[in-house]
Amino acid sequence: VLEDGVLSKDGVPIVLEYVTTTATEDSDLAVFVRAALKEIGIAVNITTLDDVQAEERMKSGDYDLTLGVYWFEPTVTALAYYGIEDAYNSMGAYGGLSFGVTDELTELAQAMLSARSSGELSAAADAFWAANYEACPTIPITGRIRTAIHSADWTGFVFNPNYYVIDLSAVSRS
């Protein structure tokens, strides 16, 4: 119930803890998220910890919000890179789909990874994001898209499905 600008459930105001690191970009994002959630009546307390302490909190699951891994497009490649198992791992320290997810999300992510056509992938992605928004383990704020800007004189660029690999062996200038 939203009353006097405060969202509550069963008469108790909703207050979330945002665990962040001392990195400026992480703590700045926490302040931004707190301000955005305040606009809809949700209070956020920010807990700033060094990297080791923050990782321990992630391992224990003792937090409500934290900065996730910077996902990238296409989502299916990010899922393959970060992992979908339901256990803490080093990528799960700040998100990914590897910690605190539901069995349904794990199954839907696996469906994306095993899709055999663009139609299957599109349907699996739609189902994944619909379930993700319902369960809300992750909220995508930004995504990275690989972009190449070059003169038409250059040809032969091949983009590997691995986001971090660009094969330049066939690049040539005409």
Side-chain angles (χ1 to χ4, degrees):
V1 174
L2 182 62
E3 188 175 307
D4 296 326
V6 176
L7 190 63
S8 63
K9 182 176 181 179
D10 301 326
V12 178
I14 296 175
V15 179
L16 303 175
E17 181 186 22
Y18 191 122
V19 173
T20 188
T21 70
T22 56
T24 303
E25 62 274 15
D26 292 355
S27 55
D28 286 352
L29 181 61
V31 170
F32 171 79
V33 169
R34 177 176 59 193
L37 290 176
K38 182 178 181 181
E39 289 182 19
I40 61 170
I42 298 174
V44 174
N45 294 327
I46 298 172
T47 302
T48 305
L49 303 169
D50 66 36
D51 289 346
V52 172
Q53 293 170 321
E55 185 173 337
E56 289 304 313
R57 290 290 292 275
M58 297 310 111
K59 286 179 181 178
S60 72
D62 185 22
Y63 63 94
D64 297 308
L65 301 168
T66 192
L67 172 63
V69 167
Y70 296 100
W71 283 40
F72 47 82
E73 298 298 329
T75 303
V76 68
T77 306
L79 289 174
Y81 183 77
Y82 292 127
I84 60 172
E85 61 281 344
D86 186 14
Y88 177 88
N89 65 34
S90 63
M91 290 296 187
Y94 295 101
L97 188 65
S98 57
F99 186 64
V101 297
T102 66
D103 289 340
E104 179 187 20
L105 283 169
T106 301
E107 290 171 18
L108 291 169
Q110 188 59 51
M112 287 177 67
L113 293 173
S114 62
R116 298 285 182 228
S117 69
S118 60
E120 278 184 29
L121 178 59
S122 180
D126 288 347
F128 171 80
W129 285 113
N132 183 76
Y133 289 131
E134 187 65 31
C136 202
T138 60
I139 302 170
I141 296 175
T142 64
R144 293 181 180 171
I145 298 175
R146 230 177 354 182
T147 305
I149 300 172
H150 58 86
S151 164
D153 294 344
W154 291 92
T155 60
F157 288 98
V158 176
F159 290 94
N160 188 296
N162 180 332
Y163 185 81
Y164 296 103
V165 174
I166 299 176
D167 180 1
L168 300 176
S169 64
V171 174
S172 63
R173 187 173 189 180
S174 53

